[in-house]
Amino acid sequence: MNRIIFALDVYDYNEALSLSRELSNDVFAIKVNWPLVMNNGISIVKEISRYSNVICDFKIADIDNTNRLITEKARENNAWGIITHSFTGRRSLKAVVSAAGDMKVFSLVSMSQESFIDNYTDDLVKMSMEENVYGLVAPGNRIDILRHIRSMSGDLKIIAPGIGAQGGGITDAIMAGADYVIIGRSIYSDPEPLKKVKSLNEILGDD
Ligand code: BMP
């Protein structure tokens, strides 16, 4: 089982496609964020989906109708999953879940940056579970918070950023309860990205 979600935070079309082709067999999914989509349009999601599961990290944070419109665009372009904020409340989250159809919805309940305000994290986890999301985004480098979120979130899949460039350790995050780790710079800034992914998979005991 692959447990790496590759954060493809590059601008360039050719680089994005060539990294996707190169790494697709050795990662669980490719996470696409605004920088790539702003430069290339949403159709890049469909192109990358030819090689890998794609998670649209759009961190949706709007009223219900706008959330629905954004989610539908990701779905139209074959995204496998979508990331939404949940601090905007139940009505906004419901709109994403309902527009997502078969797409997996990941609700962000805390962040890897220590300046994130965690006062409402427990409420966000509870609400996300009640609204039947598929998974949560929780920090892989803030281990106590990750462990706490794991303890509250039953069978939900946890995907955890903050590994490598942001200081988190890959095995620490998995041991604290992450199902998948999100890794960007440590892979795409490496001179040999595929070799790097394979070595991380070896650390995790995955092939
Ligand atoms: P990197 O491994 O290069 O630090 O990339 C982490 C990725 O995860 C980035 O795409 C970032 O936007 C995302 N992310 C994060 O770093 N912290 C969070 O709390 C939530 C995120 O989505």
Side-chain angles (χ1 to χ4, degrees):
M1 171 185 150
N2 285 323
R3 274 184 285 192
I4 293 177
I5 296 173
F6 174 45
L8 184 56
D9 292 329
V10 301
Y11 284 124
D12 183 72
Y13 175 86
N14 291 323
E15 188 183 2
L17 265 288
S18 107
L19 279 166
S20 300
R21 271 192 296 265
E22 189 186 2
L23 303 183
S24 59
N25 287 334
D26 295 271
V27 299
F28 172 72
I30 293 177
K31 183 176 83 65
V32 164
N33 206 331
W34 287 115
L36 186 66
V37 171
M38 289 172 99
N39 227 28
N40 299 285
I42 186 73
S43 61
I44 189 117
V45 170
K46 194 175 250 173
E47 294 199 48
I48 296 171
S49 76
R50 287 161 45 208
Y51 307 108
S52 169
N53 290 336
V54 179
I55 299 176
C56 285
D57 182 2
F58 292 164
K59 293 197 181 66
I60 310 173
D62 217 309
I63 60 162
D64 54 358
N65 187 57
T66 311
N67 281 7
R68 174 180 66 79
L69 294 170
I70 296 168
T71 305
E72 283 175 0
K73 275 288 148 193
R75 190 175 170 189
E76 252 173 58
N77 284 277
N78 293 350
W80 175 86
I82 188 149
I83 294 176
T84 181
H85 272 295
S86 50
F87 72 83
T88 44
R90 195 177 294 276
R91 187 163 161 181
S92 296
L93 184 59
K94 266 186 194 298
V96 175
V97 171
S98 139
D102 291 342
M103 261 189 329
K104 317 292 186 202
V105 175
F106 293 89
S107 165
L108 189 148
V109 294
S110 180
M111 292 193 84
S112 56
Q113 226 163 236
E114 74 299 335
S115 58
F116 185 78
I117 299 167
D118 272 298
N119 302 19
Y120 300 103
T121 294
D122 287 11
D123 294 335
L124 300 182
V125 173
K126 281 183 209 142
M127 184 184 67
S128 301
M129 292 180 80
E130 286 161 11
E131 296 306 327
N132 295 315
V133 302
Y134 179 78
L136 303 174
V137 182
N141 58 337
R142 299 166 67 224
I143 291 299
D144 291 346
I145 293 188
L146 174 56
R147 202 176 284 119
H148 174 68
I149 291 169
R150 172 80 281 165
S151 75
M152 293 183 66
S153 57
D155 291 339
L156 291 192
K157 299 290 181 207
I158 295 184
I159 63 177
I163 312 302
Q166 295 180 59
I170 189 165
T171 43
D172 294 344
I174 297 289
M175 281 167 62
D179 295 285
Y180 300 94
V181 282
I182 297 171
I183 307 179
R185 284 166 286 181
S186 300
I187 295 172
Y188 65 75
S189 300
D190 193 281
E192 297 187 78
L194 181 59
K195 212 167 150 192
K196 179 72 183 188
V197 168
K198 284 185 184 291
S199 77
L200 292 171
N201 280 335
E202 246 171 58
I203 294 171
L204 292 172
D206 298 341
D207 36 37

